[in-house]
Amino acid sequence: MEWYEKAVPATIAEAPLAFVWEGPDKHIGPVERETPLLVALKNKTTNGTTALAAATATWGFLRFAHHLDIAPYLKFAEAVFLQMPASEWIDISSVKADPVPNRPAPVSAIKRLRRLLMSAVNPARWGDTIDQPFRETFHLVHLVRHVLDPTSLPAFETWLTAAIARIDQIAPRPPEQSRDWDTASEAEIAAYIRLFRGQPVAPDVFAEPVEPGGLIAAYAAFATPERMAANPYIRPDRTPIAP
């Protein structure tokens, strides 16, 4: 059973798609000012923040389950969880090449959700930095709120509050180290970046409690060789991470 089958109401796709749609860039929340939600999404590891992004996007994808083929979108969200040990494992090229149309509204909305998730996991942006994609996650939350119907929205808000608290517990952002990084070796810099990337976060943490000490085992149980091989967005030639 997938995590969302336990955490997301089965009725999420039943309401008509009656949301207003002014275009893919019109329903993603403020882009220049800080809000309480944006603050709440900060101070997590890169993997913790990206996990929140993927789980939030999954809520949005499931909204369209009765109207569109959402299997490729769920596979992309799954790939975001699978790539946790190394950003270069994920292949975003097909998503990047798929334009987001203005209409029809359901297609525009679901592709915009996936594009935001792609931006949150883009290896070229996040592979070599200690920064986290909290703004991309912020925009995902706003877009999911917009496409959900009034009946499903309270369940999402309850889930989101608990999900943020859970990531705060299991994947807090470590303190930055003050040192002369110009004299640091490549290995030291890579180790520092890995510290901020943090431990892999399996999607099961959004359906049931997982203690910080159980993160590695939870990810291993999720990221099986069979699941890796079956996901079209995970590179088959990826370099395994040394234990």
Side-chain angles (χ1 to χ4, degrees):
M1 176 177 286
E2 301 294 342
W3 74 272
Y4 49 80
E5 295 177 276
K6 295 180 279 187
V8 181
T11 56
I12 191 173
E14 292 182 357
L17 300 179
F19 54 86
V20 174
W21 192 249
E22 298 177 0
D25 297 323
K26 299 297 184 180
H27 308 286
I28 61 173
V31 296
E32 295 181 350
R33 63 183 174 87
E34 193 167 81
T35 70
L37 172 62
L38 189 65
V39 172
L41 292 171
K42 292 182 178 182
N43 297 316
K44 297 154 184 56
T45 63
T46 304
N47 280 338
T49 310
T50 307
L52 273 172
T56 298
T58 298
W59 274 80
F61 298 154
L62 292 170
R63 173 71 176 98
F64 301 100
H66 291 179
H67 308 273
L68 301 170
D69 177 13
I70 68 169
Y73 299 91
L74 293 178
K75 278 293 185 182
F76 188 68
E78 178 187 77
V80 174
F81 286 104
L82 291 173
Q83 62 81 51
M84 293 283 175
S87 62
E88 63 267 22
W89 285 6
I90 194 168
D91 183 354
I92 65 170
S93 58
S94 61
V95 176
K96 193 173 184 179
D98 190 17
V100 179
N102 290 325
R103 297 278 177 178
V107 175
S108 181
I110 198 170
K111 289 194 174 186
R112 186 66 172 113
L113 283 165
R114 187 174 61 174
R115 182 61 66 93
L116 283 168
L117 183 57
M118 180 204 75
S119 296
V121 76
N122 186 353
R125 173 66 181 87
W126 307 107
D128 294 312
T129 180
I130 65 171
D131 297 331
Q132 286 77 43
F134 55 81
R135 289 190 181 277
E136 289 77 2
T137 308
F138 170 83
H139 294 314
L140 276 165
V141 170
H142 274 277
L143 188 50
V144 169
R145 284 172 171 171
H146 184 74
V147 302
L148 287 179
D149 69 284
T151 301
S152 300
L153 187 56
F156 172 71
E157 296 293 350
T158 299
W159 172 87
L160 179 64
T161 299
I164 292 173
R166 186 163 299 167
I167 293 300
D168 282 337
Q169 176 192 17
I170 65 177
R173 189 177 193 271
E176 295 187 25
Q177 300 173 14
S178 178
R179 58 168 292 183
D180 182 7
W181 290 105
D182 291 336
T183 62
S185 67
E186 290 186 7
E188 288 174 320
I189 294 173
Y192 187 58
I193 292 173
R194 284 197 301 273
L195 183 66
F196 285 83
R197 186 173 183 87
Q199 294 187 30
V201 177
D204 301 72
V205 305
F206 297 113
E208 54 194 15
V210 175
E211 295 301 319
L215 288 178
I216 294 177
Y219 174 80
F222 164 73
T224 61
E226 295 77 15
R227 191 186 288 268
M228 286 282 194
N231 192 294
Y233 301 103
I234 294 297
R235 297 184 183 279
D237 59 345
R238 65 191 179 278
T239 301
I241 300 298

mmCIF file of all heavy atoms in Angstrom, residues 187-211:
data_model
loop_
_atom_site.group_PDB
_atom_site.id
_atom_site.type_symbol
_atom_site.label_atom_id
_atom_site.label_comp_id
_atom_site.label_asym_id
_atom_site.label_seq_id
_atom_site.Cartn_x
_atom_site.Cartn_y
_atom_site.Cartn_z
ATOM 1 N N ALA A 187 36.411 17.363 -0.927
ATOM 2 C CA ALA A 187 35.778 16.348 -0.085
ATOM 3 C C ALA A 187 35.121 16.987 1.138
ATOM 4 O O ALA A 187 34.014 16.579 1.540
ATOM 5 C CB ALA A 187 36.809 15.313 0.357
ATOM 6 N N GLU A 188 35.759 17.989 1.722
ATOM 7 C CA GLU A 188 35.185 18.673 2.883
ATOM 8 C C GLU A 188 33.930 19.448 2.501
ATOM 9 O O GLU A 188 32.934 19.448 3.235
ATOM 10 C CB GLU A 188 36.219 19.617 3.490
ATOM 11 C CG GLU A 188 37.353 18.917 4.216
ATOM 12 C CD GLU A 188 38.426 19.888 4.681
ATOM 13 O OE1 GLU A 188 38.756 20.822 3.928
ATOM 14 O OE2 GLU A 188 38.925 19.708 5.813
ATOM 15 N N ILE A 189 33.972 20.091 1.350
ATOM 16 C CA ILE A 189 32.797 20.841 0.892
ATOM 17 C C ILE A 189 31.645 19.893 0.589
ATOM 18 O O ILE A 189 30.498 20.155 0.959
ATOM 19 C CB ILE A 189 33.158 21.686 -0.344
ATOM 20 C CG1 ILE A 189 34.161 22.775 0.043
ATOM 21 C CG2 ILE A 189 31.910 22.300 -0.961
ATOM 22 C CD1 ILE A 189 34.699 23.556 -1.135
ATOM 23 N N ALA A 190 31.940 18.768 -0.065
ATOM 24 C CA ALA A 190 30.902 17.790 -0.388
ATOM 25 C C ALA A 190 30.275 17.226 0.878
ATOM 26 O O ALA A 190 29.052 17.031 0.960
ATOM 27 C CB ALA A 190 31.485 16.667 -1.238
ATOM 28 N N ALA A 191 31.098 16.963 1.892
ATOM 29 C CA ALA A 191 30.583 16.444 3.162
ATOM 30 C C ALA A 191 29.693 17.477 3.845
ATOM 31 O O ALA A 191 28.672 17.126 4.457
ATOM 32 C CB ALA A 191 31.738 16.048 4.072
ATOM 33 N N TYR A 192 30.064 18.734 3.739
ATOM 34 C CA TYR A 192 29.271 19.819 4.335
ATOM 35 C C TYR A 192 27.914 19.920 3.648
ATOM 36 O O TYR A 192 26.877 20.051 4.305
ATOM 37 C CB TYR A 192 30.041 21.124 4.211
ATOM 38 C CG TYR A 192 29.418 22.301 4.929
ATOM 39 C CD1 TYR A 192 29.183 22.265 6.297
ATOM 40 C CD2 TYR A 192 29.077 23.461 4.228
ATOM 41 C CE1 TYR A 192 28.633 23.354 6.964
ATOM 42 C CE2 TYR A 192 28.524 24.551 4.882
ATOM 43 C CZ TYR A 192 28.302 24.494 6.245
ATOM 44 O OH TYR A 192 27.754 25.575 6.898
ATOM 45 N N ILE A 193 27.906 19.827 2.323
ATOM 46 C CA ILE A 193 26.642 19.876 1.577
ATOM 47 C C ILE A 193 25.767 18.683 1.941
ATOM 48 O O ILE A 193 24.552 18.825 2.118
ATOM 49 C CB ILE A 193 26.917 19.926 0.064
ATOM 50 C CG1 ILE A 193 27.564 21.267 -0.304
ATOM 51 C CG2 ILE A 193 25.629 19.713 -0.731
ATOM 52 C CD1 ILE A 193 28.027 21.352 -1.742
ATOM 53 N N ARG A 194 26.377 17.503 2.078
ATOM 54 C CA ARG A 194 25.605 16.306 2.459
ATOM 55 C C ARG A 194 24.962 16.475 3.828
ATOM 56 O O ARG A 194 23.864 15.966 4.080
ATOM 57 C CB ARG A 194 26.491 15.063 2.450
ATOM 58 C CG ARG A 194 26.813 14.526 1.067
ATOM 59 C CD ARG A 194 27.321 13.097 1.126
ATOM 60 N NE ARG A 194 28.521 12.970 1.948
ATOM 61 C CZ ARG A 194 29.753 13.148 1.486
ATOM 62 N NH1 ARG A 194 29.949 13.457 0.214
ATOM 63 N NH2 ARG A 194 30.789 13.008 2.290
ATOM 64 N N LEU A 195 25.646 17.194 4.716
ATOM 65 C CA LEU A 195 25.092 17.443 6.043
ATOM 66 C C LEU A 195 23.767 18.199 5.933
ATOM 67 O O LEU A 195 22.808 17.899 6.652
ATOM 68 C CB LEU A 195 26.098 18.249 6.862
ATOM 69 C CG LEU A 195 25.738 18.558 8.318
ATOM 70 C CD1 LEU A 195 25.698 17.282 9.141
ATOM 71 C CD2 LEU A 195 26.744 19.542 8.911
ATOM 72 N N PHE A 196 23.687 19.150 5.025
ATOM 73 C CA PHE A 196 22.463 19.935 4.858
ATOM 74 C C PHE A 196 21.433 19.205 3.996
ATOM 75 O O PHE A 196 20.236 19.467 4.114
ATOM 76 C CB PHE A 196 22.790 21.305 4.263
ATOM 77 C CG PHE A 196 23.407 22.239 5.263
ATOM 78 C CD1 PHE A 196 24.764 22.192 5.541
ATOM 79 C CD2 PHE A 196 22.615 23.134 5.971
ATOM 80 C CE1 PHE A 196 25.329 23.031 6.483
ATOM 81 C CE2 PHE A 196 23.163 23.979 6.924
ATOM 82 C CZ PHE A 196 24.532 23.926 7.181
ATOM 83 N N ARG A 197 21.899 18.323 3.144
ATOM 84 C CA ARG A 197 20.950 17.484 2.399
ATOM 85 C C ARG A 197 20.207 16.581 3.377
ATOM 86 O O ARG A 197 19.016 16.390 3.263
ATOM 87 C CB ARG A 197 21.684 16.656 1.346
ATOM 88 C CG ARG A 197 20.732 15.863 0.435
ATOM 89 C CD ARG A 197 21.476 15.178 -0.696
ATOM 90 N NE ARG A 197 20.549 14.484 -1.580
ATOM 91 C CZ ARG A 197 19.932 15.040 -2.607
ATOM 92 N NH1 ARG A 197 20.150 16.313 -2.883
ATOM 93 N NH2 ARG A 197 19.098 14.334 -3.363
ATOM 94 N N GLY A 198 20.919 16.042 4.338
ATOM 95 C CA GLY A 198 20.295 15.255 5.389
ATOM 96 C C GLY A 198 20.016 13.821 4.988
ATOM 97 O O GLY A 198 20.300 13.388 3.872
ATOM 98 N N GLN A 199 19.450 13.073 5.912
ATOM 99 C CA GLN A 199 19.120 11.683 5.644
ATOM 100 C C GLN A 199 17.935 11.583 4.690
ATOM 101 O O GLN A 199 17.085 12.478 4.640
ATOM 102 C CB GLN A 199 18.778 10.966 6.954
ATOM 103 C CG GLN A 199 19.935 10.826 7.910
ATOM 104 C CD GLN A 199 19.588 9.973 9.110
ATOM 105 O OE1 GLN A 199 18.764 9.062 9.029
ATOM 106 N NE2 GLN A 199 20.203 10.262 10.241
ATOM 107 N N PRO A 200 17.865 10.498 3.927
ATOM 108 C CA PRO A 200 16.692 10.285 3.054
ATOM 109 C C PRO A 200 15.406 10.228 3.870
ATOM 110 O O PRO A 200 15.401 9.743 5.002
ATOM 111 C CB PRO A 200 16.986 8.939 2.392
ATOM 112 C CG PRO A 200 18.474 8.793 2.467
ATOM 113 C CD PRO A 200 18.871 9.431 3.763
ATOM 114 N N VAL A 201 14.346 10.743 3.291
ATOM 115 C CA VAL A 201 13.032 10.738 3.946
ATOM 116 C C VAL A 201 12.067 9.945 3.071
ATOM 117 O O VAL A 201 11.740 10.366 1.951
ATOM 118 C CB VAL A 201 12.498 12.168 4.150
ATOM 119 C CG1 VAL A 201 11.107 12.145 4.766
ATOM 120 C CG2 VAL A 201 13.463 12.972 5.026
ATOM 121 N N ALA A 202 11.640 8.800 3.542
ATOM 122 C CA ALA A 202 10.675 7.992 2.797
ATOM 123 C C ALA A 202 9.279 8.583 2.951
ATOM 124 O O ALA A 202 8.962 9.210 3.970
ATOM 125 C CB ALA A 202 10.692 6.554 3.316
ATOM 126 N N PRO A 203 8.406 8.398 1.961
ATOM 127 C CA PRO A 203 7.066 8.988 2.044
ATOM 128 C C PRO A 203 6.202 8.437 3.160
ATOM 129 O O PRO A 203 5.229 9.078 3.570
ATOM 130 C CB PRO A 203 6.456 8.660 0.671
ATOM 131 C CG PRO A 203 7.228 7.489 0.178
ATOM 132 C CD PRO A 203 8.621 7.679 0.697
ATOM 133 N N ASP A 204 6.571 7.273 3.698
ATOM 134 C CA ASP A 204 5.785 6.689 4.780
ATOM 135 C C ASP A 204 5.704 7.584 6.001
ATOM 136 O O ASP A 204 4.770 7.460 6.805
ATOM 137 C CB ASP A 204 6.390 5.338 5.185
ATOM 138 C CG ASP A 204 6.424 4.361 4.018
ATOM 139 O OD1 ASP A 204 7.253 4.586 3.118
ATOM 140 O OD2 ASP A 204 5.644 3.405 4.009
ATOM 141 N N VAL A 205 6.664 8.516 6.158
ATOM 142 C CA VAL A 205 6.630 9.396 7.328
ATOM 143 C C VAL A 205 5.401 10.303 7.313
ATOM 144 O O VAL A 205 5.042 10.867 8.351
ATOM 145 C CB VAL A 205 7.898 10.264 7.434
ATOM 146 C CG1 VAL A 205 9.158 9.390 7.419
ATOM 147 C CG2 VAL A 205 7.966 11.308 6.332
ATOM 148 N N PHE A 206 4.765 10.449 6.150
ATOM 149 C CA PHE A 206 3.577 11.291 6.055
ATOM 150 C C PHE A 206 2.287 10.514 6.295
ATOM 151 O O PHE A 206 1.195 11.071 6.225
ATOM 152 C CB PHE A 206 3.526 11.969 4.691
ATOM 153 C CG PHE A 206 4.679 12.898 4.462
ATOM 154 C CD1 PHE A 206 5.630 12.617 3.494
ATOM 155 C CD2 PHE A 206 4.826 14.041 5.230
ATOM 156 C CE1 PHE A 206 6.703 13.472 3.287
ATOM 157 C CE2 PHE A 206 5.904 14.906 5.036
ATOM 158 C CZ PHE A 206 6.836 14.619 4.062
ATOM 159 N N ALA A 207 2.428 9.219 6.572
ATOM 160 C CA ALA A 207 1.254 8.394 6.860
ATOM 161 C C ALA A 207 1.287 7.822 8.267
ATOM 162 O O ALA A 207 0.238 7.545 8.854
ATOM 163 C CB ALA A 207 1.145 7.253 5.849
ATOM 164 N N GLU A 208 2.492 7.648 8.821
ATOM 165 C CA GLU A 208 2.617 7.088 10.158
ATOM 166 C C GLU A 208 3.936 7.551 10.767
ATOM 167 O O GLU A 208 4.890 7.849 10.036
ATOM 168 C CB GLU A 208 2.554 5.554 10.114
ATOM 169 C CG GLU A 208 3.566 4.942 9.163
ATOM 170 C CD GLU A 208 3.268 3.488 8.874
ATOM 171 O OE1 GLU A 208 2.148 3.038 9.163
ATOM 172 O OE2 GLU A 208 4.166 2.804 8.359
ATOM 173 N N PRO A 209 4.016 7.636 12.090
ATOM 174 C CA PRO A 209 5.231 8.153 12.736
ATOM 175 C C PRO A 209 6.460 7.294 12.446
ATOM 176 O O PRO A 209 6.393 6.069 12.443
ATOM 177 C CB PRO A 209 4.872 8.123 14.224
ATOM 178 C CG PRO A 209 3.376 8.126 14.263
ATOM 179 C CD PRO A 209 2.937 7.353 13.061
ATOM 180 N N VAL A 210 7.571 7.963 12.163
ATOM 181 C CA VAL A 210 8.876 7.321 12.012
ATOM 182 C C VAL A 210 9.866 8.137 12.831
ATOM 183 O O VAL A 210 10.000 9.342 12.634
ATOM 184 C CB VAL A 210 9.325 7.273 10.535
ATOM 185 C CG1 VAL A 210 10.746 6.707 10.441
ATOM 186 C CG2 VAL A 210 8.369 6.433 9.695
ATOM 187 N N GLU A 211 10.527 7.504 13.758
ATOM 188 C CA GLU A 211 11.488 8.200 14.596
ATOM 189 C C GLU A 211 12.746 8.535 13.779
ATOM 190 O O GLU A 211 13.057 7.841 12.801
ATOM 191 C CB GLU A 211 11.866 7.349 15.805
ATOM 192 C CG GLU A 211 10.709 7.098 16.759
ATOM 193 C CD GLU A 211 10.133 8.400 17.310
ATOM 194 O OE1 GLU A 211 10.929 9.312 17.629
ATOM 195 O OE2 GLU A 211 8.901 8.509 17.419
#
